[in-house]
PDB file of all heavy atoms in Angstrom:
ATOM      1  N   ALA A 429     142.032 -45.254-254.266  1.00 94.00           N
ATOM      2  CA  ALA A 429     142.396 -45.554-252.875  1.00 94.00           C
ATOM      3  C   ALA A 429     143.104 -46.894-252.839  1.00 94.00           C
ATOM      4  O   ALA A 429     142.686 -47.841-253.509  1.00 94.00           O
ATOM      5  CB  ALA A 429     141.157 -45.604-251.970  1.00 94.00           C
ATOM      6  N   MET A 430     144.181 -46.989-252.053  1.00 89.00           N
ATOM      7  CA  MET A 430     144.876 -48.249-251.799  1.00 89.00           C
ATOM      8  C   MET A 430     145.272 -48.978-253.088  1.00 89.00           C
ATOM      9  O   MET A 430     145.240 -50.193-253.151  1.00 89.00           O
ATOM     10  CB  MET A 430     144.000 -49.172-250.938  1.00 89.00           C
ATOM     11  CG  MET A 430     143.433 -48.531-249.705  1.00 89.00           C
ATOM     12  SD  MET A 430     144.735 -47.921-248.582  1.00 89.00           S
ATOM     13  CE  MET A 430     143.744 -46.960-247.433  1.00 89.00           C
ATOM     14  N   GLY A 431     145.599 -48.210-254.118  1.00 87.00           N
ATOM     15  CA  GLY A 431     145.982 -48.824-255.378  1.00 87.00           C
ATOM     16  C   GLY A 431     144.825 -49.143-256.294  1.00 87.00           C
ATOM     17  O   GLY A 431     145.045 -49.557-257.447  1.00 87.00           O
ATOM     18  N   LEU A 432     143.584 -48.956-255.839  1.00 93.00           N
ATOM     19  CA  LEU A 432     142.422 -49.148-256.700  1.00 93.00           C
ATOM     20  C   LEU A 432     142.234 -47.924-257.591  1.00 93.00           C
ATOM     21  O   LEU A 432     142.477 -46.793-257.168  1.00 93.00           O
ATOM     22  CB  LEU A 432     141.162 -49.365-255.853  1.00 93.00           C
ATOM     23  CG  LEU A 432     141.175 -50.545-254.874  1.00 93.00           C
ATOM     24  CD1 LEU A 432     139.892 -50.560-254.045  1.00 93.00           C
ATOM     25  CD2 LEU A 432     141.336 -51.870-255.617  1.00 93.00           C
ATOM     26  N   ASN A 433     141.775 -48.144-258.804  1.00 95.00           N
ATOM     27  CA  ASN A 433     141.526 -47.059-259.772  1.00 95.00           C
ATOM     28  C   ASN A 433     142.711 -46.099-259.887  1.00 95.00           C
ATOM     29  O   ASN A 433     142.569 -44.876-259.723  1.00 95.00           O
ATOM     30  CB  ASN A 433     140.278 -46.257-259.387  1.00 95.00           C
ATOM     31  CG  ASN A 433     139.023 -47.087-259.341  1.00 95.00           C
ATOM     32  OD1 ASN A 433     138.938 -48.135-259.997  1.00 95.00           O
ATOM     33  ND2 ASN A 433     138.042 -46.650-258.575  1.00 95.00           N
ATOM     34  N   PRO A 434     143.907 -46.633-260.165  1.00 91.00           N
ATOM     35  CA  PRO A 434     145.064 -45.729-260.282  1.00 91.00           C
ATOM     36  C   PRO A 434     144.831 -44.683-261.369  1.00 91.00           C
ATOM     37  O   PRO A 434     144.291 -44.977-262.427  1.00 91.00           O
ATOM     38  CB  PRO A 434     146.204 -46.687-260.665  1.00 91.00           C
ATOM     39  CG  PRO A 434     145.531 -47.909-261.216  1.00 91.00           C
ATOM     40  CD  PRO A 434     144.242 -48.040-260.487  1.00 91.00           C
ATOM     41  N   GLY A 435     145.226 -43.465-261.051  1.00 92.00           N
ATOM     42  CA  GLY A 435     145.070 -42.380-262.013  1.00 92.00           C
ATOM     43  C   GLY A 435     143.755 -41.635-261.928  1.00 92.00           C
ATOM     44  O   GLY A 435     143.568 -40.631-262.618  1.00 92.00           O
ATOM     45  N   ALA A 436     142.828 -42.116-261.093  1.00 97.00           N
ATOM     46  CA  ALA A 436     141.551 -41.420-260.939  1.00 97.00           C
ATOM     47  C   ALA A 436     141.794 -40.016-260.378  1.00 97.00           C
ATOM     48  O   ALA A 436     142.726 -39.802-259.600  1.00 97.00           O
ATOM     49  CB  ALA A 436     140.620 -42.209-260.024  1.00 97.00           C
ATOM     50  N   PRO A 437     140.956 -39.031-260.730  1.00 98.00           N
ATOM     51  CA  PRO A 437     141.226 -37.642-260.344  1.00 98.00           C
ATOM     52  C   PRO A 437     141.045 -37.335-258.858  1.00 98.00           C
ATOM     53  O   PRO A 437     141.612 -36.364-258.361  1.00 98.00           O
ATOM     54  CB  PRO A 437     140.221 -36.843-261.188  1.00 98.00           C
ATOM     55  CG  PRO A 437     139.117 -37.803-261.489  1.00 98.00           C
ATOM     56  CD  PRO A 437     139.791 -39.140-261.626  1.00 98.00           C
ATOM     57  N   LYS A 438     140.254 -38.142-258.159  1.00 98.00           N
ATOM     58  CA  LYS A 438     140.002 -37.874-256.745  1.00 98.00           C
ATOM     59  C   LYS A 438     140.576 -38.994-255.888  1.00 98.00           C
ATOM     60  O   LYS A 438     140.727 -40.131-256.340  1.00 98.00           O
ATOM     61  CB  LYS A 438     138.500 -37.733-256.486  1.00 98.00           C
ATOM     62  CG  LYS A 438     137.857 -36.569-257.234  1.00 98.00           C
ATOM     63  CD  LYS A 438     136.358 -36.499-256.970  1.00 98.00           C
ATOM     64  CE  LYS A 438     135.708 -35.365-257.744  1.00 98.00           C
ATOM     65  NZ  LYS A 438     134.231 -35.322-257.542  1.00 98.00           N
ATOM     66  N   ASN A 439     140.873 -38.658-254.638  1.00 98.00           N
ATOM     67  CA  ASN A 439     141.479 -39.616-253.716  1.00 98.00           C
ATOM     68  C   ASN A 439     140.587 -39.763-252.489  1.00 98.00           C
ATOM     69  O   ASN A 439     140.210 -38.759-251.873  1.00 98.00           O
ATOM     70  CB  ASN A 439     142.877 -39.143-253.307  1.00 98.00           C
ATOM     71  CG  ASN A 439     143.607 -40.148-252.449  1.00 98.00           C
ATOM     72  OD1 ASN A 439     143.267 -40.358-251.300  1.00 98.00           O
ATOM     73  ND2 ASN A 439     144.633 -40.769-253.024  1.00 98.00           N
ATOM     74  N   LEU A 440     140.248 -41.000-252.145  1.00 98.00           N
ATOM     75  CA  LEU A 440     139.320 -41.250-251.045  1.00 98.00           C
ATOM     76  C   LEU A 440     139.836 -40.690-249.728  1.00 98.00           C
ATOM     77  O   LEU A 440     139.059 -40.200-248.899  1.00 98.00           O
ATOM     78  CB  LEU A 440     139.068 -42.753-250.914  1.00 98.00           C
ATOM     79  CG  LEU A 440     137.989 -43.194-249.927  1.00 98.00           C
ATOM     80  CD1 LEU A 440     136.606 -42.739-250.386  1.00 98.00           C
ATOM     81  CD2 LEU A 440     138.008 -44.713-249.739  1.00 98.00           C
ATOM     82  N   GLN A 441     141.137 -40.739-249.518  1.00 98.00           N
ATOM     83  CA  GLN A 441     141.730 -40.223-248.288  1.00 98.00           C
ATOM     84  C   GLN A 441     141.895 -38.714-248.337  1.00 98.00           C
ATOM     85  O   GLN A 441     141.414 -37.991-247.462  1.00 98.00           O
ATOM     86  CB  GLN A 441     143.091 -40.897-248.052  1.00 98.00           C
ATOM     87  CG  GLN A 441     143.012 -42.386-247.787  1.00 98.00           C
ATOM     88  CD  GLN A 441     144.388 -43.025-247.712  1.00 98.00           C
ATOM     89  OE1 GLN A 441     145.175 -42.944-248.656  1.00 98.00           O
ATOM     90  NE2 GLN A 441     144.688 -43.663-246.598  1.00 98.00           N
ATOM     91  N   ALA A 442     142.579 -38.224-249.361  1.00 98.00           N
ATOM     92  CA  ALA A 442     142.935 -36.807-249.409  1.00 98.00           C
ATOM     93  C   ALA A 442     141.750 -35.892-249.675  1.00 98.00           C
ATOM     94  O   ALA A 442     141.694 -34.772-249.153  1.00 98.00           O
ATOM     95  CB  ALA A 442     144.004 -36.585-250.482  1.00 98.00           C
ATOM     96  N   ASP A 443     140.778 -36.361-250.466  1.00 98.00           N
ATOM     97  CA  ASP A 443     139.664 -35.482-250.857  1.00 98.00           C
ATOM     98  C   ASP A 443     138.393 -35.701-250.047  1.00 98.00           C
ATOM     99  O   ASP A 443     137.507 -34.831-250.052  1.00 98.00           O
ATOM    100  CB  ASP A 443     139.352 -35.682-252.343  1.00 98.00           C
ATOM    101  CG  ASP A 443     140.496 -35.261-253.241  1.00 98.00           C
ATOM    102  OD1 ASP A 443     141.028 -34.158-253.029  1.00 98.00           O
ATOM    103  OD2 ASP A 443     140.889 -36.046-254.126  1.00 98.00           O
ATOM    104  N   TYR A 444     138.303 -36.847-249.374  1.00 98.00           N
ATOM    105  CA  TYR A 444     137.068 -37.156-248.639  1.00 98.00           C
ATOM    106  C   TYR A 444     137.303 -37.447-247.150  1.00 98.00           C
ATOM    107  O   TYR A 444     136.371 -37.364-246.359  1.00 98.00           O
ATOM    108  CB  TYR A 444     136.359 -38.355-249.270  1.00 98.00           C
ATOM    109  CG  TYR A 444     135.899 -38.126-250.688  1.00 98.00           C
ATOM    110  CD1 TYR A 444     136.710 -38.462-251.770  1.00 98.00           C
ATOM    111  CD2 TYR A 444     134.644 -37.566-250.950  1.00 98.00           C
ATOM    112  CE1 TYR A 444     136.286 -38.253-253.082  1.00 98.00           C
ATOM    113  CE2 TYR A 444     134.216 -37.367-252.255  1.00 98.00           C
ATOM    114  CZ  TYR A 444     135.045 -37.708-253.311  1.00 98.00           C
ATOM    115  OH  TYR A 444     134.618 -37.506-254.599  1.00 98.00           O
ATOM    116  N   GLY A 445     138.522 -37.833-246.770  1.00 98.00           N
ATOM    117  CA  GLY A 445     138.831 -38.090-245.363  1.00 98.00           C
ATOM    118  C   GLY A 445     138.632 -39.518-244.910  1.00 98.00           C
ATOM    119  O   GLY A 445     138.857 -39.834-243.738  1.00 98.00           O
ATOM    120  N   PHE A 446     138.228 -40.423-245.820  1.00 98.00           N
ATOM    121  CA  PHE A 446     137.986 -41.811-245.435  1.00 98.00           C
ATOM    122  C   PHE A 446     139.272 -42.639-245.533  1.00 98.00           C
ATOM    123  O   PHE A 446     140.295 -42.169-246.028  1.00 98.00           O
ATOM    124  CB  PHE A 446     136.887 -42.422-246.314  1.00 98.00           C
ATOM    125  CG  PHE A 446     135.565 -41.708-246.182  1.00 98.00           C
ATOM    126  CD1 PHE A 446     135.105 -40.879-247.199  1.00 98.00           C
ATOM    127  CD2 PHE A 446     134.802 -41.840-245.034  1.00 98.00           C
ATOM    128  CE1 PHE A 446     133.898 -40.214-247.082  1.00 98.00           C
ATOM    129  CE2 PHE A 446     133.591 -41.171-244.891  1.00 98.00           C
ATOM    130  CZ  PHE A 446     133.132 -40.347-245.918  1.00 98.00           C
ATOM    131  N   SER A 447     139.212 -43.876-245.021  1.00 97.00           N
ATOM    132  CA  SER A 447     140.398 -44.751-244.955  1.00 97.00           C
ATOM    133  C   SER A 447     141.559 -44.006-244.292  1.00 97.00           C
ATOM    134  O   SER A 447     142.698 -44.032-244.749  1.00 97.00           O
ATOM    135  CB  SER A 447     140.787 -45.246-246.346  1.00 97.00           C
ATOM    136  OG  SER A 447     139.888 -46.225-246.807  1.00 97.00           O
ATOM    137  N   ASN A 448     141.243 -43.376-243.194  1.00 97.00           N
ATOM    138  CA  ASN A 448     142.152 -42.518-242.435  1.00 97.00           C
ATOM    139  C   ASN A 448     142.350 -43.154-241.064  1.00 97.00           C
ATOM    140  O   ASN A 448     141.380 -43.386-240.343  1.00 97.00           O
ATOM    141  CB  ASN A 448     141.517 -41.127-242.325  1.00 97.00           C
ATOM    142  CG  ASN A 448     142.313 -40.144-241.502  1.00 97.00           C
ATOM    143  OD1 ASN A 448     143.171 -40.512-240.712  1.00 97.00           O
ATOM    144  ND2 ASN A 448     142.010 -38.873-241.682  1.00 97.00           N
ATOM    145  N   GLY A 449     143.597 -43.446-240.701  1.00 95.00           N
ATOM    146  CA  GLY A 449     143.882 -44.144-239.451  1.00 95.00           C
ATOM    147  C   GLY A 449     143.393 -43.456-238.195  1.00 95.00           C
ATOM    148  O   GLY A 449     143.296 -44.090-237.143  1.00 95.00           O
ATOM    149  N   VAL A 450     143.078 -42.177-238.270  1.00 98.00           N
ATOM    150  CA  VAL A 450     142.531 -41.479-237.105  1.00 98.00           C
ATOM    151  C   VAL A 450     141.100 -41.937-236.825  1.00 98.00           C
ATOM    152  O   VAL A 450     140.692 -42.082-235.673  1.00 98.00           O
ATOM    153  CB  VAL A 450     142.568 -39.954-237.319  1.00 98.00           C
ATOM    154  CG1 VAL A 450     141.795 -39.221-236.215  1.00 98.00           C
ATOM    155  CG2 VAL A 450     144.005 -39.457-237.378  1.00 98.00           C
ATOM    156  N   PHE A 451     140.336 -42.159-237.877  1.00 97.00           N
ATOM    157  CA  PHE A 451     138.920 -42.488-237.731  1.00 97.00           C
ATOM    158  C   PHE A 451     138.615 -43.976-237.970  1.00 97.00           C
ATOM    159  O   PHE A 451     137.486 -44.411-237.760  1.00 97.00           O
ATOM    160  CB  PHE A 451     138.092 -41.653-238.714  1.00 97.00           C
ATOM    161  CG  PHE A 451     138.216 -40.175-238.499  1.00 97.00           C
ATOM    162  CD1 PHE A 451     138.975 -39.395-239.369  1.00 97.00           C
ATOM    163  CD2 PHE A 451     137.609 -39.546-237.418  1.00 97.00           C
ATOM    164  CE1 PHE A 451     139.103 -38.026-239.176  1.00 97.00           C
ATOM    165  CE2 PHE A 451     137.734 -38.188-237.218  1.00 97.00           C
ATOM    166  CZ  PHE A 451     138.483 -37.419-238.100  1.00 97.00           C
TER     167      PHE A 451
END
Side-chain angles (χ1 to χ4, degrees):
M430 310 300 169
L432 302 176
N433 300 336
K438 298 178 182 178
N439 185 289
L440 187 66
Q441 295 174 302
D443 296 312
Y444 297 92
F446 299 106
S447 286
N448 177 341
V450 171
F451 299 105

